[in-house]
Amino acid sequence: MQKTALEPQKGFSFENCERNAALERSLPGLRVPHARKTGTTIAGLVFRDGVILGADTRATNDSIVAYQSCEKIHFIAPKIYGAPDHGKGRGSGGGERGSGAGAVSRRGGTSSPVRSTDRTHSAKRYRGYVGASLIVGGVDFTGPQLYCVHPHGSYSRLPFTAQGSGQDAALAVLEDRFQPNMTLEAAQELLVEAITAGILGDLGSGGSVDACVITGTSAKLLRTLSSPTEPIERSSQYRFAPGTTAVLSETVMPLTLELLEETVQAMDVE
């Protein structure tokens, strides 16, 4: 007697997590993807006529600064925008059933990798687990709304909030100066100061300050409101004579290198 097929269930599929663990046990030399930490500072607050979101623009990959002018505030609906916290992301490592490492799927729905519109950053995943906080703001028929969505799925509705590796410095500014029913000018100035505090207090955050102003009638993205970390030009060239700094010791360590052979084959093109 044939068994009835199981009904598809909603939610993420983590079968590849068990697969990857089994492969690690059976193949000692297997190198699985490692978790990667990135940095960011995102913030948002409710003002008199709507919501304003802000973010820095530095995209990092572990300790490497990949890009200094990426967009971290994304369109969701005409009056709803979101800013993902890439600072708590993880490296790729599997998730979609029957696929290679790095994909995440949902049961009962369309399976596809997690992607972003920006070429330098995306929602991070590690062994199938998505790790990203979100700040979502918008205006509906009840008025301005600002939510903080945590990586495990819970959410909080708040008058102001901040996320990312620079959130402590940003929250310190918001908690000190936030007032209900602020004007747009005051809210924008406070947001810029909060993101700037995160940039100056966190090595993973940097670049300039972007913002998105959402009201009941429109939504406007504002790029490069402030650039607190502009490069400083050297006043002069520094030149030192050889031997100025003494070499106390020198050690030569041989490196074990693997020689790879590469063959290039021409292809006929009509």
Side-chain angles (χ1 to χ4, degrees):
M1 183 176 178
Q2 293 183 345
K3 295 182 179 180
T4 305
L6 296 176
E7 293 292 333
Q9 300 178 357
K10 295 182 179 179
F12 286 100
S13 174
F14 298 112
E15 282 85 352
N16 278 0
C17 301
E18 300 178 0
R19 179 206 65 181
N20 291 348
L23 289 175
E24 284 186 277
R25 291 191 298 268
S26 60
L27 301 174
L30 177 65
R31 295 182 179 180
V32 298
H34 296 284
R36 293 185 180 274
K37 296 182 179 180
T38 61
T40 194
T41 300
I42 54 176
L45 61 96
V46 176
F47 65 98
R48 179 186 303 170
D49 302 316
V51 175
I52 181 169
L53 305 176
D56 73 308
T57 61
R58 173 178 289 180
T60 59
N61 180 13
D62 201 13
S63 60
I64 304 299
V65 177
Y67 194 45
Q68 282 283 23
S69 187
C70 72
E71 297 182 20
K72 299 183 181 180
I73 304 176
H74 302 286
F75 172 89
I76 298 177
K79 296 180 184 177
I80 304 176
Y81 280 73
D85 164 26
H86 304 94
K88 296 183 179 179
R90 300 285 186 175
S92 62
E96 183 177 355
R97 182 180 356 205
S99 68
V104 176
S105 70
R106 296 186 67 89
R107 292 195 180 102
T110 302
S111 300
S112 61
V114 176
R115 294 181 179 178
S116 170
T117 55
D118 188 80
R119 64 185 175 88
T120 58
H121 67 283
S122 62
K124 307 300 181 185
R125 59 244 182 223
Y126 179 63
R127 294 189 177 181
Y129 294 93
V130 176
S133 300
L134 298 171
I135 294 180
V136 181
V139 178
D140 59 14
F141 65 94
T142 63
Q145 311 282 342
L146 181 66
Y147 286 88
C148 179
V149 184
H150 303 283
H152 49 270
S154 66
Y155 61 89
S156 305
R157 182 183 177 187
L158 301 165
F160 64 89
T161 187
Q163 286 288 336
S165 52
Q167 67 176 358
D168 293 340
L171 278 174
V173 175
L174 292 172
E175 291 176 350
D176 180 60
R177 294 186 48 196
F178 176 81
Q179 296 292 333
N181 298 319
M182 298 178 70
T183 64
L184 173 58
E185 291 75 14
Q188 182 172 307
E189 179 182 355
L190 176 59
L191 183 75
V192 170
E193 291 193 17
I195 300 297
T196 300
I199 290 175
L200 299 179
D202 171 44
L203 292 177
S205 304
S208 57
V209 180
D210 287 353
C212 179
V213 179
I214 310 168
T215 64
T217 58
S218 64
K220 185 178 181 181
L221 280 170
L222 305 173
R223 297 227 65 192
T224 318
L225 285 180
S226 174
S227 298
T229 57
E230 292 183 352
I232 300 176
E233 296 184 1
R234 293 182 178 180
S235 57
S236 60
Q237 295 292 330
Y238 298 97
R239 298 183 181 277
F240 299 95
T244 300
T245 302
V247 179
L248 301 181
S249 63
E250 181 177 344
T251 303
V252 178
M253 180 179 297
L255 299 178
T256 302
L257 302 177
E258 181 181 357
L259 180 61
L260 299 178
E261 295 184 358
E262 181 177 312
T263 302
V264 179
Q265 182 177 358
M267 182 178 63
D268 296 332
V269 179
E270 295 182 357

